[in-house]
Amino acid sequence: MTLSASDLLLYAAAVFVLFLTPGPVWMALTARTLSGGFQAAWPLALGVVVGDMLWPVLAIAGVGWLTSASAQISVGLKAVAVIMFVWMGIRTIQTADRSIAADSRLTKGGGWAGFAAGVVVILGNPKAILFYMGLLPGFFDLTQVTIPDVIAIVFVSQIVPLLGNLGLAAMIDRVRGFLSSPSALRRTNLVAGSLLICVGLIIPFT
């Protein structure tokens, strides 16, 4: 394996910051947990894992081929990753007062319905698409990754959001109170946006 523990830890931190940023997965998980409790939410969390496996694999396969053509392309992709993360951070700060609303279309009962909702939400999540397709080349040299490297990247991409989503579902009563407080939501979004910007500024030095 060519990846170091520090490489994977930094990547895990970036994935965790992505999880902390409110988005479609948060809305879906909140909707199902509020409607049916943890029992209704954990299948959705498992569905999200499917996308968290698919996107990094596609990014490594597709972008890895591009970066093998030119070292300049690799540098350019890293620059795109920096811009993307800083932009996401700025947008999160700009929309810090935006509340997370429940979507009744995501509350259909049944484990398979929850699992399917998780797959649909993550595959259609523009934040996840931008993250994996634009950021992976900024963290790793995709021309040099081995099969064990890919397995490690996919594992981190899955386990960090899975644990976060399950934890969020388990504490949904507290989260419900938190979401009803505009000041608390604003503070969390400001922190998440600042962390996104910080990660973006660190990427050039990795």
Side-chain angles (χ1 to χ4, degrees):
M1 191 165 84
T2 64
L3 301 181
S4 66
S6 60
D7 291 333
L8 291 174
L9 283 174
L10 179 60
Y11 177 63
V15 175
F16 183 67
V17 171
L18 179 73
F19 161 74
L20 289 178
T21 308
V25 173
W26 266 43
M27 293 191 334
L29 194 70
T30 300
R32 287 197 66 83
T33 308
L34 289 176
S35 65
F38 185 82
Q39 185 67 25
W42 70 260
L44 185 141
L46 291 183
V48 171
V49 169
V50 173
D52 287 330
M53 174 186 67
L54 180 62
W55 285 123
V57 170
L58 290 178
I60 292 169
V63 182
W65 177 83
L66 288 175
T67 55
S68 65
S70 172
Q72 284 72 25
I73 293 178
S74 182
V75 173
L77 287 172
K78 178 171 285 194
V80 170
V82 172
I83 294 171
M84 183 202 70
F85 242 93
V86 172
W87 176 79
M88 286 173 60
I90 292 173
R91 287 295 300 154
T92 300
I93 292 173
Q94 288 177 337
T95 58
D97 294 319
R98 184 175 297 172
S99 63
I100 303 174
D103 187 345
S104 60
R105 294 171 298 176
L106 299 171
T107 59
K108 184 178 179 181
W112 282 112
F115 181 84
V119 173
V120 171
V121 166
I122 190 64
L123 292 183
N125 184 357
K127 183 177 66 174
I129 297 169
L130 287 172
F131 180 86
Y132 289 117
M133 301 304 286
L135 191 69
L136 274 176
F139 272 92
F140 310 113
D141 183 354
L142 299 182
T143 64
Q144 302 296 323
V145 292
T146 63
I147 291 179
D149 292 332
V150 174
I151 293 173
I153 292 171
V154 171
F155 177 76
V156 172
S157 301
Q158 291 177 310
I159 196 65
V160 173
L162 175 62
L163 293 176
N165 287 329
L166 291 177
L168 177 61
M171 298 184 296
I172 195 63
D173 288 335
R174 292 184 181 180
V175 173
R176 179 169 51 187
F178 154 73
L179 292 177
S180 66
S181 170
S183 61
L185 176 62
R186 175 177 173 79
R187 285 195 299 269
T188 299
N189 280 340
L190 290 175
V191 171
S194 300
L195 289 174
L196 284 167
I197 294 173
C198 289
V199 171
L201 295 178
I202 291 172
I203 289 174
F205 305 100
T206 60

